DNA sequence: GCCGTTTTCGGCCCGACTGTTTTCAGTCG
């Protein structure tokens, strides 16, 4: 999969073109191409040379040729030419907050600054402040920016961002008596798997209150630094050690109630989704901004998001779908899929007890599952090869199955399936013999070791497991840990085709560090008719409550409840499992 | 460079904040 690499080339070309001052519409096009490539579930290097590549939205003849060229030669001439026009480390300067292409071009041309060390020297010897358009304050801000860059952390996991946002909102509610409404926005609301900064939106109908909210925000506990603060908007760097050790940028915007919907829509993004909406507005001779949808001076919509979409002639688009991945077109035709919701989930088919590496008893898990309103759960302790996870040998497993069946008899309002998360061994065989697997109500096959092998080997391994008639589902298919462990190299086309052929479900593991399958693969899988299961893989009762992250990932992949096995009644799952029939 | 139920040529989203400015450019989201 070379999409990351190819997309990065287009972004780098755009960066260089900005510095040397080329047409910015062309630059935007390159950035869009980069985004389309990054979002594409198919390996674009496999689409190269075929018409399919040119049919991707935003990719025209010229971009397709560059992609073909990369696949054939490993380089793109246009890219190489651009690289020759700038010093090799110049692009590092763009990473400094507050320093953009115009500034970089100025210091390079006028002061021969070619990298961050050069810039630091220009700040130190005060030659920077002599430059037209620069000054002492700008120099100071850049010095600060360089320091920040040296200590900068990357994006944080969604669940930490949720924790931090809740901490900030909690403090604001406590400190501001007149605070009526405050909402989460940005990538946090869209439930991207990682979050760069946290966006909040507050409502205030008088300017006094708006100022008070902004000012209070800059003074709450945990603020490390105020980046900017105006009348209606402020940005801070914030940390809360109760959530995580990272320092995160939090942006707050305050708008009047007549604009709350438009502002919430705007600050939820994505940027590209918003651009699409504004283009539609322009075509209708309207104007869309964070204050509302306007015809001339007249506000047509703004109080609610629903109004804004409606007046634009669009069906309401759920936040998790707002990525400009085709949802706007479907909303225009009123053909959006009704994506799965938390309330559709009827059970959780992946969790662990102390029999292997879980922390809560069977009874405690059942109690929590009942509280969550589930009709069924599957107990899926590890198999014998997972020694670190205290996996069960056959003898222990058989006893465990008995215990679960006895327990199941005690409940008439929930069904407990005796199951197992069985290791897929290196050669693709299963960690228990078939006659043992046959005794389980449900079987998840998972890869837990040897994830670093070559693609053909990993793919063949998983597909062999799928071909075992007792395996119902592949758990966390790629094995990735976001930000920590790379996904296993899988030919996702082949895995999806095998899932259809062998009638095996794929898991959407809801754990915030996994989210595996991820959104674009979810979409690819359901397009080909694969059934998915959203599971928490809980190791304690708190883990059972992380289902929402899996649901959000399913929504981001446009899955409806009919795509998700554990949105169906247990009888339907049993029939699906045994007969291989349709749901 | 891409795209088209107003266009195959002429468009391509919008506003807050900051700093260096006598009216605005750059950056960010």
């Amino acid at each position: 999969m070379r999409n990351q690499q190819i997309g990065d080339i287009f972004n780098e070309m755009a960066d260089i073109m900005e510095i040397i001052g080329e047409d910015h519409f062309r630059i935007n096009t390159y950035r869009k191409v980069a985004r389309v490539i990054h979002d594409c579930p198919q390996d674009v290097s496999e689409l190269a040379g075929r018409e399919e590549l040119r049919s991707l939205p935003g990719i025209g003849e010229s971009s397709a040729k560059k992609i073909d060229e990369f696949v054939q030669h490993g380089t793109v001439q246009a890219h190489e030419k651009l690289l020759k026009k700038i010093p090799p480390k110049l692009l590092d300067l763009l990473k400094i907050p507050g320093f953009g292409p115009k500034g970089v071009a100025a210091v390079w041309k006028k002061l021969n600054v070619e990298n961050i060390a050069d810039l630091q020297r220009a700040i130190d010897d005060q030659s920077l402040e002599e430059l037209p358009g620069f000054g002492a304050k700008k120099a100071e801000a850049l010095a600060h920016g360089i320091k920040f860059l040296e200590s900068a952390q990357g994006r944080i996991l969604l669940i930490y961002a949720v924790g931090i946002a809740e901490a900030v909102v909690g403090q604001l509610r406590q400190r501001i008596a007149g605070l009526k409404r405050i909402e989460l926005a940005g990538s946090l609301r869209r439930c991207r798997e990682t979050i760069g900064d946290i966006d909040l939106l507050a409502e205030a109908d008088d300017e006094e209150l708006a100022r008070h909210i902004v000012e209070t925000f800059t003074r709450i506990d945990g603020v490390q630094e105020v980046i900017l603060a105006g009348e209606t908007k402020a940005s801070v760097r914030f940390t809360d050690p109760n959530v995580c050790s990272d320092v995160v940028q939090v942006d707050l915007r305050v708008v009047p109630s007549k604009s709350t919907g438009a502002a919430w829509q705007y600050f939820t993004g994505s940027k590209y989704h918003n651009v699409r909406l504004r283009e539609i507005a322009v075509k209708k001779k309207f104007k869309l901004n964070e204050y509302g949808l306007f015809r001339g001076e007249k506000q047509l919509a703004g109080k609610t998001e629903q109004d804004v979409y409606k007046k634009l002639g669009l069906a309401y688009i759920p936040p998790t779908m707002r990525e400009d991945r085709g949802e706007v077109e479907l909303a225009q035709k009123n053909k959006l899929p009704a994506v799965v919701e938390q309330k559709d989930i009827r059970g959780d088919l992946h969790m662990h007890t102390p029999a292997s590496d879980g922390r809560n008893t069977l009874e405690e898990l059942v109690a929590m599952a009942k509280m969550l309103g589930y009709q069924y759960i599957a107990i899926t302790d590890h198999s014998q090869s997972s020694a670190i996870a205290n996996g069960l040998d056959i003898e222990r497993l058989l006893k465990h199955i008995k215990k679960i069946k006895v327990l199941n008899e005690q409940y008439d309002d929930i069904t407990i399936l005796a199951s197992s998360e069985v290791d897929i061994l290196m050669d693709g065989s299963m960690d228990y013999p078939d006659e043992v697997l046959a005794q389980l109500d449900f079987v998840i096959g998972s890869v837990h070791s040897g994830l670093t092998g070559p693609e053909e080997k990993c793919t063949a391994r998983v597909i062999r497991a799928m071909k075992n008639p007792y395996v119902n589902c592949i758990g966390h298919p790629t094995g990735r840990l976001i930000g920590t462990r790379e996904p296993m190299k899988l030919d996702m086309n082949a895995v999806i085709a095998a899932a259809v052929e062998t009638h095996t479900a794929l898991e959407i593991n809801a754990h915030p560090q996994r989210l595996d399958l991820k959104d674009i693969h979810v979409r690819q899988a359901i397009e080909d008719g694969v059934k998915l299961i959203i599971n928490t893989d809980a190791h304690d009762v708190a883990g059972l409550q992380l289902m929402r992250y899996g649901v959000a990932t399913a929504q981001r992949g446009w899955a409806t409840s009919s795509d998700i096995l554990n949105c169906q009644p247990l009888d339907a799952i049993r029939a699906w499992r045994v007969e291989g029939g349709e749901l």
Side-chain angles (χ1 to χ4, degrees), chain A residues 25-80:
Chain A
F25 293 113
R26 222 172 118 208
I27 292 166
N28 276 346
T29 302
Y30 278 52
R31 295 216 186 275
K32 175 163 187 188
V33 171
R35 186 166 55 88
V36 169
I37 294 171
H38 282 151
D39 282 352
C40 180
Q42 305 275 353
D43 190 339
V44 292
S45 60
E46 278 179 23
L47 302 179
R50 287 198 264 148
E51 275 310 302
E52 271 177 278
L53 190 54
R54 283 148 183 84
S55 70
L56 291 174
I59 297 192
E61 199 52 39
S62 168
S63 301
K65 271 198 184 129
K66 291 183 177 73
I67 297 168
D68 289 344
E69 194 188 335
F70 178 84
V71 172
Q72 282 188 16
H73 303 109
T75 53
V76 178
Q77 263 197 13
H79 178 230
E80 300 294 317

Side-chain angles (χ1 to χ4, degrees), chain A residues 6 58-59 98 100 114 149 170 224 264 373 388 446 479 506 544 552 570:
Chain A
I6 299 174
I59 297 192
E114 296 193 347
L149 193 61
Q224 306 293 298
W264 203 17
I388 289 176
S446 296
L506 298 178
L544 285 175
L570 187 55

Side-chain angles (χ1 to χ4, degrees), chain A residues 19 83 86-96 104 108 113-119:
Chain A
I19 291 171
L83 281 174
I86 58 161
K89 297 279 183 192
L90 192 69
L91 293 179
D92 290 349
L93 295 172
L94 287 176
K95 295 184 194 135
I96 302 169
V104 172
W108 171 40
V113 166
E114 296 193 347
N115 52 48
I116 290 177
D118 289 350
L119 181 65

Side-chain angles (χ1 to χ4, degrees), chain A residues 394-541:
Chain A
I394 294 175
E395 193 184 334
R396 283 177 64 212
L397 175 69
L398 295 177
K399 280 187 192 157
H400 193 50
I401 292 174
K402 265 190 197 152
K403 188 178 167 191
I404 292 167
K405 298 209 167 177
V406 168
L407 183 74
N408 187 42
E409 291 302 314
Q410 297 173 19
Y411 297 96
D412 51 13
D413 50 353
I414 189 167
T415 304
I416 308 154
L417 301 176
S419 310
S420 175
E421 183 186 18
V422 185
D423 265 49
I424 299 171
L425 302 178
M426 284 307 287
D427 64 354
S429 63
M430 302 304 292
D431 196 20
Y432 293 127
D434 283 359
E435 55 271 25
V436 172
L437 296 180
Q439 299 187 47
L440 293 163
D441 295 324
F442 195 82
V443 176
I444 296 176
S446 296
V447 171
H448 285 114
S449 58
L451 293 103
T452 52
E455 182 176 302
E456 303 88 79
K457 211 172 159 187
C458 292
T459 304
R461 180 181 178 188
V462 170
I463 289 178
R464 183 173 169 204
M466 289 171 145
K467 287 185 174 163
N468 182 308
Y470 297 103
V471 173
N472 304 120
C473 173
I474 300 297
H476 43 72
T478 76
R480 73 165 179 170
L481 296 175
I482 297 168
T484 305
R485 185 166 74 201
E486 287 291 305
M488 184 163 52
K489 292 193 182 72
L490 284 182
D491 177 348
M492 202 51 80
N493 283 336
V495 168
I496 285 170
V500 173
E501 187 194 319
T502 64
H503 202 70
T504 310
L506 298 178
E507 182 177 75
I508 300 174
N509 192 294
H511 193 283
Q513 201 171 8
R514 291 192 181 271
L515 301 179
D516 181 12
L517 295 178
K518 67 173 179 177
D519 53 6
I520 59 176
H521 289 143
V522 168
R523 187 156 157 203
Q524 188 186 7
I526 62 170
E527 277 172 6
D528 287 353
V530 176
K531 293 298 172 200
L532 303 171
I533 307 181
I534 310 174
N535 287 326
T536 60
D537 196 356
H539 285 69
D540 52 34
V541 291

